[in-house]
Amino acid sequence: MRPLSNIFSKEVRELLTPATVLPIVVLAILFGSLGGIMGDVGGEASKPPIIGIIQQDDSELANYTAMILDSESDVVYKSTDIANIDEGLKAVSSAGGTALLVIPQGFGDDIQSNRSGTIRVYWIMKGTGMLDTISSASLDGLLGVTDKMLSMYILENEDMRASVNVTTALNPTIKNETTTFKGQTLEGISPSSISATLSSQNMVVPLIVLMVIIMSGSTVIASMGLEKENKTLETLLTMPVKRSHIVIGKLGGAAVVGLLMAFIYMLGMSSYLNSLQGSAGLNLSDYGIGLETLDFVLVGLSLFLAVVAGLGLCLVIGVFARDYKSAQSLTMPITFLAMIPMFVLMMKDFATLPGAVQAGLFAIPFTHPMMAMNNLMFGDYTLVVAGIVYEAIFASAMMAVAVILFKKDILVTGRKKKREGKEVRTWPRRR
Amino acid sequence: MVKDLTKSFGTFQAVKGVTFSVEEGEVFGLIGPNGAGKTTTMRMLSTLLQVTSGTATIFGKDLVTETDEIRKIISYLPEEAGAYKNLTGRRYLEFIARFFCNGEDVEKMVDYGISLSNLADRIDDKVETYSKGMTRRLLVSRALMFKPRLAILDELTSGLDVISAQHVRRTVRDTTKDGTTIIVSSHNMLEVELICDRLALIADGRVVEMGSPAELKDKYDADNIEEVFVKAVSP
């Protein structure tokens, strides 16, 4: 059994390295965090929605509607004066609430005149992530239940049943929705519709970032591994060319190839995305939400800097690749680094995340182009510009580090490991 | 001119104060066993490794402060060098030539490189299809085709068969006629006797002896350089 155990232990030693273990640990932490977020969402969904009610109408049906809403939700603001909408929105917003509901004058009369009674819903949208709209979905459900209970109330009441026709009795209420988000008021649209439309329309940029980083990033790291494995690096380093030019040449080549690959990939994805936009059925520009020329320039700049920053990071990591095999395992952390903001931002808006998570995401350069479009659509330039500045600093720092490493012995001699006081090199040392 | 050159990796000192000078147009050999410090010395001279202490000037240019200038006039051929496998031999030579010249000069340099390599029609095949000897010949021609003022060649004929080794040695020797100075390392002490004008014997990171093959054999009353080396390093 000794030869078998010998081979077994050699294989385990080769495969169980920090480069292979770390990505799995990061992935486990990521899933653990996502699990925590999902758990919080489950808890939030089961809580009664926080709302405010302005009840102008004092009819029997209006009182019954208000009673249902009151009993099934956490009402933080009540009024009978329609002039208090702004005050009500402020109160609900500061309580972390979802919406201000208005039961207007004539609500009951409309139903009894065979016209559906209107409930005006002033949504307070917190973020564009899927999980940010959980509370509005919860209230949406409650409004549906209210409609059904009101329907039963009408059908069980003989006087009303006689005066209200069946169509109105079965659908006694309709919603008139207005959404407030980042200082903008959007009439006739709900947070769920906005979130669904944004996530489908703005999926392009995160996908481009992810594809370019995966494709070009692995190319850059692998090229370093191949240069070492094929013993071409030493020759390249003795050519009459500045180290900075080697770095820029490698990054530029990888970026062009990556962008080309991403473009080809996106050609296929575009029909899929168009179908998603079609099914969402909303054109946000009709509501005054859209991008102007400057916005597209900022998104493009953010995307470009993220790619340069990412490739710079890959080149720095690539310096530590011993050969092609080890280079492949080093691409995994970069891939995860691009996937983390994509998944987190899909679930939650940056603004609604805890401070520590925000800081972590901000530090990842790939985050910024992924959220740039959403922020620019709602006129939030501060975060986008701050992101671009950070990306520029990060990209410059990575390129500077890469140039410095290209001037150091480590590129030729490999990493040093101290073991029991002796110096051991992990890349072939020759004298 | 190399004076008191040292190189340390942490606490380990690979080169412990090497001093020698090379005349223009000569073939100078660094010989010694594996681990003697030959490759580290050559890597420092070719600007790959930073110098720990000591000085070196190559045609008047300082090794530490004028690395960019030095790279324009030197050529380094590592022992285990390779070429880009997905390129043909011709494309590889073109890639290297473009670091030194432009336009029609590239073509001229490549043609000269092809003639040095003696690869004939195989020059248009991909490098991945080459034998070890063919790859080495391509690399030697790459190192010499732009007529560097100083060519630093590490273990020149390592792993080559007799015919290929002879071709490579002849190519190197002929190059000096154009004025190129050569520093060549080898642990094959009989080979260096064939091509070197002068030698430095290195052991444990130090130069222990220096001179022409004839002078050294005469001094140690030896039949060949291998015998000289054994006598020189013996206590």
Side-chain angles (χ1 to χ4, degrees), chain B residues 165-183:
Chain B
Q166 199 174 43
H167 172 83
V168 166
R169 279 197 290 268
R170 198 182 309 125
T171 304
V172 168
R173 203 58 250 195
D174 289 347
T175 305
T176 57
K177 291 172 188 167
D178 296 327
T180 297
T181 304
I182 308 274
I183 296 178

Side-chain angles (χ1 to χ4, degrees), chain B residues 42-113:
Chain B
M42 294 182 122
R43 282 177 165 180
M44 283 191 283
L45 293 178
S46 56
T47 74
L48 275 176
L49 294 182
Q50 293 172 322
V51 172
T52 303
S53 69
T55 58
T57 52
I58 297 175
F59 293 105
K61 297 181 194 311
D62 186 80
L63 182 63
V64 177
T65 58
E66 295 176 279
T67 48
D68 286 342
E69 289 302 307
I70 284 178
R71 285 188 199 117
K72 290 176 186 168
I73 57 168
I74 66 154
S75 173
Y76 175 55
L77 177 65
E79 179 187 0
E80 293 177 1
Y84 298 105
K85 290 177 179 173
N86 59 335
L87 298 182
T88 64
R90 185 188 297 275
R91 287 282 299 130
Y92 176 68
L93 293 180
E94 282 172 2
F95 170 71
I96 297 295
R98 287 201 180 92
F99 285 109
F100 298 95
C101 55
N102 299 305
E104 288 181 5
D105 291 341
V106 171
E107 205 175 323
K108 284 180 191 167
M109 189 180 284
V110 170
D111 286 343
Y112 179 58

Side-chain angles (χ1 to χ4, degrees), chain A residues 17 45 68-69 78 134 144 149 153 156 216 307 327 344 353 368 372:
Chain A
T17 63
I68 297 167
L69 291 170
K78 273 187 183 176
I134 289 286
M149 290 182 75
Y153 183 81
E156 284 170 1
S216 300
V307 170
V344 172
L353 288 165
H368 303 286

